[in-house]
Amino acid sequence: MTNQKRIKLVNWSMLLPSIALLFFVFGLPLIKNIQLSLTDAKFIEKADFIALENYVKLLTREDFYNALRVMLIYTVCYTIGIFVVGFATSLLLEHNPLRRGKSFFRTMYVLSYAVPDIVTALIFTWIFNYNYGVVNYFLAQIGIIQAPINWLNSSEQALYTIVLIEIWRQFPLHTLVIYAGFQEVPGELYESAEIDGAGGLRKFFSITIPHLSQILSTLLILTIIWSFKRFAMIWSLTKGGPSGATETVVIQIYKNAFVDNKMGLACATGVVMLIITLLIVRLYMKVIKRSSE
Amino acid sequence: MKKRSLLSVALILAMMFSLCSCGTTPADEGEAEDDVITITFGSPWWGESGRDVLWQGFAESFHEAYPQYKLEGIYIPYADFNDKMKTLVAAKEEPTIFYLQEYNFYQWLEDGYLAPIDECFDVSAVYDDLAVKESQDLVLHDGQYYGLVVETCPYSGLIYNKELFEANGVELPQNAEEYLELAKSLTNADGSQYGTIAANTSDNLNYIMQASMPYIMGFGGRIADEDGNFTVNQPEFVEGVEYYVELATLCSPAFTEYSTQRSVFFEGKVAMVSDGGYFIDWAAGENESLASNLDVAVLPMEDPATPTDLTYFGLSANATEEEKEAVGAFLSWWCTPEVQQAWIESCGYPVTMASAASEEYRAANEWYAVYENIAAYGIGLAVPGHEADSISIRNTVAEYIVECIEKTDADVQSIMDACKAELDAEFSS
């Protein structure tokens, strides 16, 4: 055996435990999932092979397309919203108008991230309650609304209310990542730009954004993938209702599996969801590759 | 220094040994545990206000009566009961016996969750003394019983607040129109008083069905006919939904979780509700003075049919022979008059044994007769012809009823037509 071959063998033998672990943790469940998606599996009874019937059923179901549409709207609104809030709060942190208490504000920002989803959902169920909610109360007090708004139980508002709550819950991560990005921008660039007469906006778009582009693109892809997977908050607040208005694909998978007892169909939905996520991951890898180049 | 360290170590060791000697030794524990067979019972009752204490007491009394057996409670919330049971069964960690509802029975039997209760308890020995024999017969399959009936809970009891009725100078309604008009007239715009409570949010679809079906059935509406044809878009069903939408949007706390609405009732701000007898005991636990002002009448609908929740003790298909012996002892103990009389106090409707409703109980709770009488018109929650899919079908119907409530100006007929189309596409072979 040549020396090079021996090194290769040692390398592979060192990688083997990780590969085996990955196979057991990700590979096996994935294979099992694909296998179940080709059956009429329920929970514990024996499942029969039905080939692609679940996929045909899924792709001809109106509620699947509704779930995709809801997921898309949710992702777009959530991503835009969280970036706007993340930028605004990190800029506030960076250019603290009070000029002091930076660590205090940093801690305050992170508070919502520390609250568990279920607790957040319970709090906001009350805050947005139709009859007794503090939001409707204040809006009525200052004369903005005449009748209470049905925040969480109307098919028109529910999804956007959830997006709002999710942004509140998740924005600290974006704030901290963007804020950390700000620290990487060399101060001299701003000084030179100031000498050249550049204003705040000009500096932001010509210096800050280009320097943050790598961080932002990675954060963007991750935000999209995370938003696809969000479950706990939606389930706790509306369970996908009313009338499927907040039923994302993940909620539909849960309902198919645990409410309607259709494990095969749930697994088929999971496989389709996986393909969509893989496409996003592919995009993510491209971004990473471009960044490293 | 060295001495001091040694002394510290010695002291710590001495403390550890002295602490160990305070408790029983592992050997003692092992011996004690070996003699006792523990069975688990999964149910929402272990966590329900009032019933939690009652069931802890039951567990202790059972252990006193049968020291060789022990009953251990597993609390599974009502709202998530079916989902949790599925995961427990899949993980082979299900309780030995569990809360089994009639509309779950068919699916769980098909899915292999259940063992015949006859394997550990002779139902025929108590059959003649059962309160509602028809309820027991619903879990008879291939000549074997797959459960022992625990309660027969009809929901069409009209529970009303006598104090609010007197304060507003109103009488009990005699028909559906009067009921709706009364509920409207007793609802104040400022939220200080409501005519009724009615589930109107999608957070718990079970509540939507529980609260709406007494009215829908009162108009003659059924989810499916005897042949299994879906009838949710028939005039009787649609009329019932339209009626319920008015109750849910004009006469109750609008778009508020049902649990919150019930709290409003317990505060004494609601005049009427259609619910089972357990609600009165629950109210007593929440607000004693309110409970003394409550009375029950029959919901004044044209069709006397009432949706009825039938609950059983179900036995796990994975129960061991030893556990089955213990379950047999528990069920024998359960049927004794003392236990039954304690249970009916918490229910207010027919339970397992007819003897539970003693003369004293009837005299103290005159309204019990209402539930006993309407139980005769009870209709189980399983969907005829689609028993194994009952849960999914009921959830689908509930989602469409929520849509009718949410889109108050929408055409109920067209929404229920869509519901029928979805049910046909999903569940008709």
Side-chain angles (χ1 to χ4, degrees), chain B residues 329-379:
Chain B
F330 170 71
L331 295 180
S332 301
W333 173 84
W334 175 257
C335 293
T336 56
E338 300 75 35
V339 179
Q340 287 293 296
Q341 279 159 20
W343 181 231
I344 201 171
E345 290 281 351
S346 156
C347 294
Y349 40 72
V351 293
T352 310
M353 307 297 283
S355 61
S358 62
E359 288 307 315
E360 296 80 41
Y361 177 77
R362 285 172 187 277
N365 303 283
E366 286 176 11
W367 48 264
Y368 171 76
V370 172
Y371 285 105
E372 198 174 40
N373 293 336
I374 61 174
Y377 302 99
I379 293 181

CSV table of all heavy atoms in Angstrom, one decimal, chain B residues 329-379:
chain,number,residue,atom,x,y,z
B,329,ALA,N,-59.8,-6.2,38.6
B,329,ALA,CA,-60.1,-5.8,40.0
B,329,ALA,C,-60.5,-4.4,40.0
B,329,ALA,O,-61.5,-4.0,40.8
B,329,ALA,CB,-58.8,-6.0,40.8
B,330,PHE,N,-59.9,-3.5,39.2
B,330,PHE,CA,-60.3,-2.1,39.2
B,330,PHE,C,-61.7,-1.9,38.7
B,330,PHE,O,-62.5,-1.2,39.3
B,330,PHE,CB,-59.3,-1.3,38.4
B,330,PHE,CG,-59.8,0.1,38.1
B,330,PHE,CD1,-59.7,1.1,39.2
B,330,PHE,CD2,-60.3,0.5,36.9
B,330,PHE,CE1,-60.2,2.4,39.0
B,330,PHE,CE2,-60.7,1.8,36.7
B,330,PHE,CZ,-60.7,2.7,37.7
B,331,LEU,N,-62.1,-2.6,37.7
B,331,LEU,CA,-63.4,-2.4,37.1
B,331,LEU,C,-64.5,-3.0,38.1
B,331,LEU,O,-65.6,-2.4,38.2
B,331,LEU,CB,-63.5,-3.1,35.8
B,331,LEU,CG,-62.6,-2.5,34.7
B,331,LEU,CD1,-62.8,-3.2,33.3
B,331,LEU,CD2,-62.9,-1.0,34.5
B,332,SER,N,-64.2,-4.1,38.8
B,332,SER,CA,-65.1,-4.6,39.8
B,332,SER,C,-65.3,-3.5,40.9
B,332,SER,O,-66.4,-3.3,41.3
B,332,SER,CB,-64.6,-5.9,40.4
B,332,SER,OG,-64.4,-6.8,39.4
B,333,TRP,N,-64.2,-3.0,41.3
B,333,TRP,CA,-64.2,-1.9,42.4
B,333,TRP,C,-65.0,-0.7,41.9
B,333,TRP,O,-65.8,-0.1,42.6
B,333,TRP,CB,-62.8,-1.6,42.7
B,333,TRP,CG,-62.6,-0.4,43.7
B,333,TRP,CD1,-62.7,-0.4,45.0
B,333,TRP,CD2,-62.4,1.0,43.3
B,333,TRP,NE1,-62.5,0.8,45.5
B,333,TRP,CE2,-62.3,1.7,44.5
B,333,TRP,CE3,-62.2,1.6,42.1
B,333,TRP,CZ2,-62.1,3.1,44.5
B,333,TRP,CZ3,-62.0,3.0,42.1
B,333,TRP,CH2,-62.0,3.7,43.3
B,334,TRP,N,-64.8,-0.4,40.6
B,334,TRP,CA,-65.4,0.8,40.0
B,334,TRP,C,-67.0,0.7,40.0
B,334,TRP,O,-67.7,1.7,40.2
B,334,TRP,CB,-65.0,0.9,38.5
B,334,TRP,CG,-65.7,2.0,37.8
B,334,TRP,CD1,-66.7,1.9,36.8
B,334,TRP,CD2,-65.4,3.4,37.9
B,334,TRP,NE1,-67.1,3.1,36.4
B,334,TRP,CE2,-66.3,4.1,37.0
B,334,TRP,CE3,-64.6,4.2,38.7
B,334,TRP,CZ2,-66.4,5.5,36.9
B,334,TRP,CZ3,-64.6,5.6,38.5
B,334,TRP,CH2,-65.5,6.2,37.6
B,335,CYS,N,-67.5,-0.5,39.9
B,335,CYS,CA,-68.9,-0.7,39.8
B,335,CYS,C,-69.6,-0.8,41.2
B,335,CYS,O,-70.8,-0.9,41.3
B,335,CYS,CB,-69.2,-2.0,39.1
B,335,CYS,SG,-68.8,-1.9,37.3
B,336,THR,N,-68.8,-0.6,42.2
B,336,THR,CA,-69.4,-0.7,43.6
B,336,THR,C,-70.2,0.6,43.8
B,336,THR,O,-69.8,1.7,43.3
B,336,THR,CB,-68.4,-0.8,44.7
B,336,THR,OG1,-67.4,0.2,44.6
B,336,THR,CG2,-67.7,-2.2,44.6
B,337,PRO,N,-71.3,0.5,44.6
B,337,PRO,CA,-72.2,1.7,44.8
B,337,PRO,C,-71.4,2.9,45.3
B,337,PRO,O,-71.7,4.1,44.9
B,337,PRO,CB,-73.2,1.2,45.8
B,337,PRO,CG,-73.2,-0.3,45.6
B,337,PRO,CD,-71.8,-0.7,45.2
B,338,GLU,N,-70.5,2.8,46.3
B,338,GLU,CA,-69.8,3.9,46.9
B,338,GLU,C,-69.1,4.7,45.8
B,338,GLU,O,-69.1,5.9,45.7
B,338,GLU,CB,-68.8,3.5,48.0
B,338,GLU,CG,-69.4,2.7,49.1
B,338,GLU,CD,-69.7,1.3,48.8
B,338,GLU,OE1,-69.0,0.7,48.0
B,338,GLU,OE2,-70.7,0.8,49.3
B,339,VAL,N,-68.3,4.0,45.0
B,339,VAL,CA,-67.5,4.6,43.9
B,339,VAL,C,-68.5,5.3,42.9
B,339,VAL,O,-68.3,6.5,42.5
B,339,VAL,CB,-66.6,3.6,43.2
B,339,VAL,CG1,-65.8,4.3,42.1
B,339,VAL,CG2,-65.7,2.9,44.2
B,340,GLN,N,-69.5,4.6,42.5
B,340,GLN,CA,-70.4,5.1,41.5
B,340,GLN,C,-71.1,6.4,42.0
B,340,GLN,O,-71.4,7.3,41.3
B,340,GLN,CB,-71.5,4.0,41.2
B,340,GLN,CG,-70.9,2.9,40.3
B,340,GLN,CD,-70.5,3.4,38.9
B,340,GLN,OE1,-71.4,3.9,38.2
B,340,GLN,NE2,-69.2,3.4,38.6
B,341,GLN,N,-71.5,6.4,43.3
B,341,GLN,CA,-72.2,7.6,43.9
B,341,GLN,C,-71.2,8.8,43.9
B,341,GLN,O,-71.6,9.9,43.7
B,341,GLN,CB,-72.8,7.2,45.3
B,341,GLN,CG,-74.1,6.5,45.1
B,341,GLN,CD,-74.5,5.7,46.3
B,341,GLN,OE1,-74.0,6.0,47.4
B,341,GLN,NE2,-75.4,4.7,46.1
B,342,ALA,N,-70.0,8.5,44.2
B,342,ALA,CA,-69.0,9.6,44.2
B,342,ALA,C,-68.8,10.1,42.8
B,342,ALA,O,-68.7,11.3,42.6
B,342,ALA,CB,-67.6,9.1,44.8
B,343,TRP,N,-68.8,9.2,41.8
B,343,TRP,CA,-68.6,9.6,40.4
B,343,TRP,C,-69.8,10.4,39.9
B,343,TRP,O,-69.6,11.4,39.2
B,343,TRP,CB,-68.3,8.4,39.6
B,343,TRP,CG,-68.0,8.6,38.1
B,343,TRP,CD1,-68.7,8.0,37.0
B,343,TRP,CD2,-67.1,9.5,37.5
B,343,TRP,NE1,-68.2,8.4,35.9
B,343,TRP,CE2,-67.2,9.4,36.1
B,343,TRP,CE3,-66.2,10.4,38.1
B,343,TRP,CZ2,-66.4,10.1,35.2
B,343,TRP,CZ3,-65.4,11.2,37.2
B,343,TRP,CH2,-65.5,11.0,35.8
B,344,ILE,N,-71.0,10.0,40.2
B,344,ILE,CA,-72.1,10.7,39.6
B,344,ILE,C,-72.2,12.1,40.1
B,344,ILE,O,-72.7,13.0,39.4
B,344,ILE,CB,-73.5,9.9,39.8
B,344,ILE,CG1,-74.5,10.4,38.8
B,344,ILE,CG2,-74.0,10.1,41.2
B,344,ILE,CD1,-75.8,9.6,38.8
B,345,GLU,N,-71.7,12.4,41.3
B,345,GLU,CA,-71.7,13.7,41.9
B,345,GLU,C,-70.9,14.7,41.0
B,345,GLU,O,-71.2,15.8,40.9
B,345,GLU,CB,-71.0,13.7,43.3
B,345,GLU,CG,-71.8,13.0,44.4
B,345,GLU,CD,-72.9,13.9,45.0
B,345,GLU,OE1,-73.0,15.1,44.6
B,345,GLU,OE2,-73.7,13.3,45.7
B,346,SER,N,-69.9,14.1,40.3
B,346,SER,CA,-69.1,14.9,39.5
B,346,SER,C,-69.6,15.0,38.1
B,346,SER,O,-69.1,15.8,37.3
B,346,SER,CB,-67.6,14.3,39.5
B,346,SER,OG,-66.9,14.7,38.4
B,347,CYS,N,-70.5,14.1,37.7
B,347,CYS,CA,-71.0,14.1,36.3
B,347,CYS,C,-72.4,14.8,36.1
B,347,CYS,O,-72.5,15.6,35.3
B,347,CYS,CB,-71.1,12.6,35.9
B,347,CYS,SG,-69.5,11.8,35.8
B,348,GLY,N,-73.4,14.3,36.9
B,348,GLY,CA,-74.7,14.9,36.7
B,348,GLY,C,-75.5,14.3,35.6
B,348,GLY,O,-76.5,14.9,35.1
B,349,TYR,N,-75.0,13.2,35.1
B,349,TYR,CA,-75.8,12.5,34.0
B,349,TYR,C,-75.5,11.0,34.2
B,349,TYR,O,-74.7,10.6,35.1
B,349,TYR,CB,-75.3,12.9,32.6
B,349,TYR,CG,-73.8,13.1,32.5
B,349,TYR,CD1,-73.0,12.0,32.5
B,349,TYR,CD2,-73.3,14.4,32.4
B,349,TYR,CE1,-71.6,12.2,32.4
B,349,TYR,CE2,-71.9,14.6,32.3
B,349,TYR,CZ,-71.1,13.5,32.3
B,349,TYR,OH,-69.8,13.7,32.2
B,350,PRO,N,-76.2,10.1,33.5
B,350,PRO,CA,-76.0,8.7,33.8
B,350,PRO,C,-74.6,8.2,33.7
B,350,PRO,O,-73.9,8.6,32.7
B,350,PRO,CB,-76.9,8.0,32.7
B,350,PRO,CG,-77.9,9.0,32.4
B,350,PRO,CD,-77.2,10.3,32.5
B,351,VAL,N,-74.1,7.4,34.7
B,351,VAL,CA,-72.8,6.9,34.7
B,351,VAL,C,-72.9,5.4,34.4
B,351,VAL,O,-73.8,4.9,33.8
B,351,VAL,CB,-72.0,7.3,36.0
B,351,VAL,CG1,-71.8,8.8,36.0
B,351,VAL,CG2,-72.8,6.8,37.2
B,352,THR,N,-71.9,4.6,35.0
B,352,THR,CA,-71.9,3.2,34.6
B,352,THR,C,-73.1,2.5,35.2
B,352,THR,O,-73.9,1.9,34.4
B,352,THR,CB,-70.6,2.5,35.2
B,352,THR,OG1,-69.5,3.3,34.8
B,352,THR,CG2,-70.4,1.1,34.7
B,353,MET,N,-73.3,2.6,36.5
B,353,MET,CA,-74.4,1.8,37.1
B,353,MET,C,-75.6,2.6,37.4
B,353,MET,O,-75.5,3.8,37.8
B,353,MET,CB,-73.8,1.1,38.4
B,353,MET,CG,-72.5,0.4,38.3
B,353,MET,SD,-72.7,-1.1,37.2
B,353,MET,CE,-73.5,-2.2,38.3
B,354,ALA,N,-76.8,2.0,37.3
B,354,ALA,CA,-78.0,2.7,37.5
B,354,ALA,C,-78.1,3.1,39.0
B,354,ALA,O,-78.6,4.1,39.4
B,354,ALA,CB,-79.2,1.8,37.2
B,355,SER,N,-77.5,2.2,39.9
B,355,SER,CA,-77.5,2.5,41.3
B,355,SER,C,-76.9,3.8,41.7
B,355,SER,O,-77.1,4.2,42.9
B,355,SER,CB,-76.9,1.3,42.0
B,355,SER,OG,-75.5,1.2,41.7
B,356,ALA,N,-76.0,4.3,40.9
B,356,ALA,CA,-75.3,5.6,41.2
B,356,ALA,C,-76.3,6.7,41.6
B,356,ALA,O,-76.1,7.5,42.5
B,356,ALA,CB,-74.4,6.0,40.1
B,357,ALA,N,-77.4,6.8,40.8
B,357,ALA,CA,-78.4,7.8,41.1
B,357,ALA,C,-79.3,7.4,42.2
B,357,ALA,O,-80.4,7.0,42.0
B,357,ALA,CB,-79.2,8.1,39.8
B,358,SER,N,-78.8,7.5,43.4
B,358,SER,CA,-79.6,7.1,44.6
B,358,SER,C,-80.7,8.1,44.8
B,358,SER,O,-80.7,9.2,44.3
B,358,SER,CB,-78.7,7.1,45.8
B,358,SER,OG,-78.2,8.4,46.0
B,359,GLU,N,-81.6,7.8,45.7
B,359,GLU,CA,-82.8,8.7,46.0
B,359,GLU,C,-82.2,10.0,46.6
B,359,GLU,O,-82.8,11.0,46.3
B,359,GLU,CB,-83.7,8.0,47.1
B,359,GLU,CG,-84.5,6.8,46.5
B,359,GLU,CD,-85.3,7.2,45.2
B,359,GLU,OE1,-85.9,8.3,45.2
B,359,GLU,OE2,-85.2,6.5,44.2
B,360,GLU,N,-81.2,9.9,47.5
B,360,GLU,CA,-80.7,11.1,48.1
B,360,GLU,C,-80.1,12.0,47.0
B,360,GLU,O,-80.3,13.2,47.0
B,360,GLU,CB,-79.5,10.8,49.1
B,360,GLU,CG,-79.9,10.0,50.3
B,360,GLU,CD,-80.1,8.5,50.0
B,360,GLU,OE1,-79.2,7.9,49.3
B,360,GLU,OE2,-81.0,7.9,50.5
B,361,TYR,N,-79.4,11.4,46.0
B,361,TYR,CA,-78.8,12.2,45.0
B,361,TYR,C,-79.8,12.9,44.1
B,361,TYR,O,-79.7,14.1,43.8
B,361,TYR,CB,-77.9,11.3,44.1
B,361,TYR,CG,-77.3,12.1,42.9
B,361,TYR,CD1,-76.2,12.9,43.1
B,361,TYR,CD2,-77.9,12.0,41.6
B,361,TYR,CE1,-75.7,13.6,42.0
B,361,TYR,CE2,-77.3,12.7,40.6
B,361,TYR,CZ,-76.2,13.5,40.8
B,361,TYR,OH,-75.7,14.3,39.7
B,362,ARG,N,-80.9,12.1,43.8
B,362,ARG,CA,-82.0,12.7,43.0
B,362,ARG,C,-82.6,13.8,43.7
B,362,ARG,O,-83.0,14.9,43.1
B,362,ARG,CB,-83.0,11.6,42.7
B,362,ARG,CG,-82.5,10.7,41.6
B,362,ARG,CD,-83.5,9.5,41.4
B,362,ARG,NE,-83.0,8.5,40.6
B,362,ARG,CZ,-83.1,8.5,39.2
B,362,ARG,NH1,-83.6,9.5,38.7
B,362,ARG,NH2,-82.6,7.6,38.5
B,363,ALA,N,-82.8,13.7,45.0
B,363,ALA,CA,-83.5,14.7,45.8
B,363,ALA,C,-82.7,16.0,45.9
B,363,ALA,O,-83.2,17.1,45.8
B,363,ALA,CB,-83.8,14.2,47.2
B,364,ALA,N,-81.3,15.8,46.0
B,364,ALA,CA,-80.5,16.9,46.1
B,364,ALA,C,-80.2,17.6,44.8
B,364,ALA,O,-79.8,18.8,44.7
B,364,ALA,CB,-79.1,16.5,46.7
B,365,ASN,N,-80.4,16.8,43.7
B,365,ASN,CA,-80.1,17.4,42.3
B,365,ASN,C,-81.3,17.1,41.4
B,365,ASN,O,-81.2,16.2,40.6
B,365,ASN,CB,-78.8,16.7,41.7
B,365,ASN,CG,-77.6,16.9,42.6
B,365,ASN,OD1,-77.0,18.0,42.7
B,365,ASN,ND2,-77.3,15.9,43.3
B,366,GLU,N,-82.3,17.8,41.6
B,366,GLU,CA,-83.6,17.6,40.8
B,366,GLU,C,-83.4,17.6,39.3
B,366,GLU,O,-84.0,16.9,38.6
B,366,GLU,CB,-84.7,18.5,41.3
B,366,GLU,CG,-85.2,18.2,42.6
B,366,GLU,CD,-86.3,19.2,43.1
B,366,GLU,OE1,-86.7,20.0,42.3
B,366,GLU,OE2,-86.6,19.1,44.3
B,367,TRP,N,-82.4,18.5,38.9
B,367,TRP,CA,-82.2,18.6,37.5
B,367,TRP,C,-81.6,17.4,36.8
B,367,TRP,O,-81.6,17.2,35.6
B,367,TRP,CB,-81.2,19.8,37.2
B,367,TRP,CG,-80.0,19.8,38.1
B,367,TRP,CD1,-79.8,20.5,39.3
B,367,TRP,CD2,-78.8,19.1,37.9
B,367,TRP,NE1,-78.6,20.2,39.8
B,367,TRP,CE2,-77.9,19.4,39.0
B,367,TRP,CE3,-78.3,18.2,36.9
B,367,TRP,CZ2,-76.7,18.9,39.1
B,367,TRP,CZ3,-77.1,17.7,37.0
B,367,TRP,CH2,-76.3,18.0,38.1
B,368,TYR,N,-81.1,16.5,37.6
B,368,TYR,CA,-80.5,15.2,37.1
B,368,TYR,C,-81.5,14.5,36.2
B,368,TYR,O,-81.2,13.9,35.1
B,368,TYR,CB,-80.1,14.3,38.2
B,368,TYR,CG,-79.7,12.9,37.7
B,368,TYR,CD1,-78.4,12.7,37.1
B,368,TYR,CD2,-80.5,11.8,37.8
B,368,TYR,CE1,-78.1,11.5,36.6
B,368,TYR,CE2,-80.2,10.6,37.3
B,368,TYR,CZ,-78.9,10.4,36.7
B,368,TYR,OH,-78.6,9.2,36.2
B,369,ALA,N,-82.8,14.6,36.6
B,369,ALA,CA,-83.9,13.9,35.8
B,369,ALA,C,-83.9,14.4,34.3
B,369,ALA,O,-84.2,13.7,33.4
B,369,ALA,CB,-85.2,14.2,36.4
B,370,VAL,N,-83.5,15.7,34.1
B,370,VAL,CA,-83.5,16.3,32.8
B,370,VAL,C,-82.5,15.5,31.9
B,370,VAL,O,-82.8,15.0,30.8
B,370,VAL,CB,-83.1,17.8,32.8
B,370,VAL,CG1,-82.9,18.3,31.3
B,370,VAL,CG2,-84.2,18.6,33.5
B,371,TYR,N,-81.3,15.3,32.5
B,371,TYR,CA,-80.3,14.6,31.7
B,371,TYR,C,-80.6,13.1,31.5
B,371,TYR,O,-80.4,12.5,30.5
B,371,TYR,CB,-78.9,14.7,32.4
B,371,TYR,CG,-78.3,16.1,32.2
B,371,TYR,CD1,-78.3,17.0,33.2
B,371,TYR,CD2,-77.9,16.5,30.9
B,371,TYR,CE1,-77.8,18.3,33.0
B,371,TYR,CE2,-77.4,17.8,30.7
B,371,TYR,CZ,-77.4,18.7,31.8
B,371,TYR,OH,-76.9,19.9,31.5
B,372,GLU,N,-81.3,12.5,32.5
B,372,GLU,CA,-81.7,11.1,32.5
B,372,GLU,C,-82.7,11.0,31.3
B,372,GLU,O,-82.6,10.0,30.6
B,372,GLU,CB,-82.3,10.7,33.8
B,372,GLU,CG,-82.3,9.2,34.0
B,372,GLU,CD,-82.8,8.8,35.4
B,372,GLU,OE1,-83.7,9.5,35.9
B,372,GLU,OE2,-82.2,7.9,35.9
B,373,ASN,N,-83.6,11.9,31.3
B,373,ASN,CA,-84.7,11.8,30.2
B,373,ASN,C,-84.1,12.1,28.8
B,373,ASN,O,-84.5,11.4,27.9
B,373,ASN,CB,-85.8,12.8,30.5
B,373,ASN,CG,-86.5,12.5,31.8
B,373,ASN,OD1,-86.5,11.3,32.2
B,373,ASN,ND2,-87.1,13.4,32.5
B,374,ILE,N,-83.3,13.1,28.7
B,374,ILE,CA,-82.8,13.4,27.3
B,374,ILE,C,-81.8,12.3,26.8
B,374,ILE,O,-81.6,12.2,25.6
B,374,ILE,CB,-82.2,14.8,27.2
B,374,ILE,CG1,-81.0,15.1,28.1
B,374,ILE,CG2,-83.3,15.9,27.4
B,374,ILE,CD1,-80.3,16.4,27.8
B,375,ALA,N,-81.2,11.6,27.8
B,375,ALA,CA,-80.3,10.5,27.4
B,375,ALA,C,-81.0,9.5,26.5
B,375,ALA,O,-80.3,8.9,25.7
B,375,ALA,CB,-79.7,9.9,28.6
B,376,ALA,N,-82.3,9.4,26.7
B,376,ALA,CA,-83.1,8.5,25.9
B,376,ALA,C,-83.0,8.9,24.4
B,376,ALA,O,-83.3,8.0,23.5
B,376,ALA,CB,-84.5,8.4,26.4
B,377,TYR,N,-82.8,10.2,24.1
B,377,TYR,CA,-82.7,10.6,22.7
B,377,TYR,C,-81.3,10.8,22.2
B,377,TYR,O,-81.0,11.5,21.3
B,377,TYR,CB,-83.5,12.0,22.6
B,377,TYR,CG,-84.9,11.9,23.0
B,377,TYR,CD1,-85.3,12.3,24.3
B,377,TYR,CD2,-85.9,11.4,22.1
B,377,TYR,CE1,-86.6,12.3,24.7
B,377,TYR,CE2,-87.2,11.3,22.6
B,377,TYR,CZ,-87.6,11.8,23.8
B,377,TYR,OH,-88.9,11.7,24.2
B,378,GLY,N,-80.4,10.2,23.0
B,378,GLY,CA,-79.0,10.4,22.7
B,378,GLY,C,-78.5,9.8,21.4
B,378,GLY,O,-79.0,8.7,21.1
B,379,ILE,N,-77.7,10.5,20.7
B,379,ILE,CA,-77.1,10.0,19.5
B,379,ILE,C,-75.6,10.1,19.6
B,379,ILE,O,-75.1,11.2,19.9
B,379,ILE,CB,-77.6,10.8,18.2
B,379,ILE,CG1,-79.1,10.5,18.0
B,379,ILE,CG2,-76.8,10.4,17.0
B,379,ILE,CD1,-79.7,11.2,16.8
